[in-house]
Each structure stands twice: as C-alpha cells, then as structure tokens.
Amino acid sequence: CPYCRFVREAVTALDLVVDVKPCGRGSRHRAEARKVGGKEQFPLLVDGDTVLYESADIVDYLAEKRGTTLTPPKGGVLASAAATAFRPGRGDAVSAGALAKPPRKLLELYSYEGNQFCRLVREVLCELDLPYRLYSAGKDSPRRDVLAKLAGSSQCPYLVDPNTGEALAESADIVAYLCRTYGDFDEEEE
C-alpha cells in the first residue's frame, strides 16, 4: 500500500529498527490490529499506549521521537503509489500456502525502502504472514558497518532466522528459503 510505503521510507530515513507484523488480507495479525485500535486500517503504528493510523501522523511521530524533522519525499504518497503500481497484488494478501503458526522468534531483515531486491523479500514475508524485525540499513546507515561484520558484506537484503540459524543475502535465495521453510507449496506454486 502506498501509505505503508510512505511510512517505510521514513523508517529508512530515520534509520530505525522496527517490529513488523504484516497485515495483508487474510492475516492472523488483523484481529490483533482490530483489538488494539478498533479497526483494520493500515499502516498502523503501536508504540506503548500510542496508536496511530494515518501515515503522515506516523511519520511525524517517528521523527519527533528521533528528535528531528523529515522533509517529505518528492511526490509524497503519490510517488509511493506510483512505485507500488509496478507490482500490483504482491504482498497485499496472505498466500494459501502460508503456515498456520508463525515461527517462535522474529525473523530479522536488514533492508531499506527503495531497493527492489528488499521489496521482493518483504512481499514474501507478507504473503507468508511472517512477523519480522526490520533493521533499516539505508545507504548512509551506520548499520551497514554492523551488517558488513555480520554478513561479510553490507549488501541488502540480508535475512537472519534465529529459529533455524540460517542467514542469507541474495533475494532469490531468501525467497526460496522462506517458501521452503515457512510455506506449504507444491513445486509448481513456488
């Protein structure tokens, strides 16, 4: 959704670490969102007692907590909508092959908004309804040094699965791993 992308752009710009619970159509997390905020509207930010729905309010809140202000990206939400239009339908609903129970521990994804390979991984995480911790690692992020020490490269995306001990860097390898490990697919469906 373009409004979610608008928030992810701010998360990257602010170099944040956030826990993400995908809420595509059919997601197990939608009931929790409804319980917390009273409706199924996204993006949704929950930070302690603070519950926000509007993307601009979420961006302002995150920037204020970080002690800064953000200049909105050129084109704002319309630019986000244009970027989203290139892959319609991907990541907006849970796949029939998603497993009923999420993994015990959050997956960890080093990623940043605006990278097409990171997007492929985020789409599959949503389609498999897998919650994850997002480590923003934009081009100027100091987290790139941490990633280089961890992975031997600062390349994004990079996925760490504390449930299995796997760590992968190539988007195609990550997608295949996620589908194999957390999906129930026939060979042709992958």
Side-chain angles (χ1 to χ4, degrees), residues 76-95:
V77 174
L78 287 177
S80 293
T84 303
F86 288 110
R87 292 184 53 82
R90 290 307 313 258
D92 66 354
V94 175
S95 168

Side-chain angles (χ1 to χ4, degrees), residues 185-190:
F185 300 101
D186 293 332
E187 291 293 320
E188 298 99 42
E189 288 182 75
E190 285 186 48

Side-chain angles (χ1 to χ4, degrees), residues 46-124:
V46 178
D47 184 23
D49 292 334
T50 301
V51 177
L52 298 170
Y53 286 100
E54 299 300 325
S55 57
D57 294 343
I58 293 170
V59 169
D60 290 345
Y61 175 82
L62 293 172
E64 185 178 311
K65 278 203 75 160
R66 193 70 167 190
T68 190
T69 57
L70 285 178
T71 304
K74 291 183 180 179
V77 174
L78 287 177
S80 293
T84 303
F86 288 110
R87 292 184 53 82
R90 290 307 313 258
D92 66 354
V94 175
S95 168
L99 299 179
K101 286 181 69 175
R104 231 172 30 82
K105 298 177 185 172
L106 286 177
L107 303 179
E108 300 172 5
L109 179 65
Y110 290 80
S111 176
Y112 63 95
E113 192 59 33
N115 178 304
Q116 70 271 23
F117 302 108
C118 294
R119 180 181 181 153
L120 296 173
V121 172
R122 283 194 321 272
E123 288 171 348
V124 171

